[in-house]
Amino acid sequence: QVQLVESGGGVVQAGGSLRLSCAASGRTFSSYTMAWFRQAPGKERGFVATISWSGGRTGYADSVTGRFTICRDNAKNTVYLQRNSLKPEDTDVYYCAADFKGPSKVDYWGQGTQVTVSS
């Protein structure tokens, strides 16, 4: 069992940067593949990025490759999403996910954090 709490959302201007954090409870955090998803109102939740338990492997959606970076600190039970060169279309609620096995196979979700990119 793991609980996830996202933070770092807010309002940022287009072209700016923002780092999201996801703090996890539970001793098994370091064994989980973690991921970030995003969701706009009225749309399905979509995959953004994933990172292996060791941090050695990462994967990204095409729309964010080169702009977003996922990383983790297992000593702090935290996974991060660094978001650069933000665009208004990056405005979404961002969710942290644990025990990621695929875009439709996630066992644990955070409550989400709102990010608004103003033009």
Side-chain angles (χ1 to χ4, degrees), residues 3-111:
Q3 293 183 327
L4 306 172
V5 178
E6 301 96 335
S7 61
V11 180
V12 61
Q13 287 190 333
S17 298
L18 204 63
R19 189 178 78 163
L20 304 180
S21 300
C22 173
S25 64
R27 295 176 294 176
T28 56
F29 171 80
S30 61
S31 67
Y32 288 135
T33 295
M34 301 294 294
W36 286 94
F37 285 71
R38 63 199 288 180
Q39 187 172 24
K43 294 187 178 181
E44 292 187 355
R45 195 169 297 184
F47 168 76
V48 175
T50 185
I51 186 167
S52 63
W53 67 270
S54 67
R57 288 180 297 172
T58 58
Y60 297 92
D62 290 342
S63 60
V64 305
T65 298
R67 298 190 300 122
F68 291 9
T69 302
I70 188 171
C71 62
R72 67 191 295 164
D73 185 338
N74 286 343
K76 295 182 178 180
N77 277 14
T78 302
V79 62
Y80 305 95
L81 185 68
Q82 177 67 41
R83 306 159 65 248
N84 299 327
S85 303
L86 287 167
K87 306 174 182 179
E89 50 264 41
D90 293 320
T91 294
D92 276 326
V93 177
Y94 284 76
Y95 295 90
C96 178
D99 202 12
F100 172 82
K101 302 180 180 70
S104 60
K105 297 179 180 179
V106 173
D107 285 343
Y108 305 103
W109 293 99
Q111 83 287 352

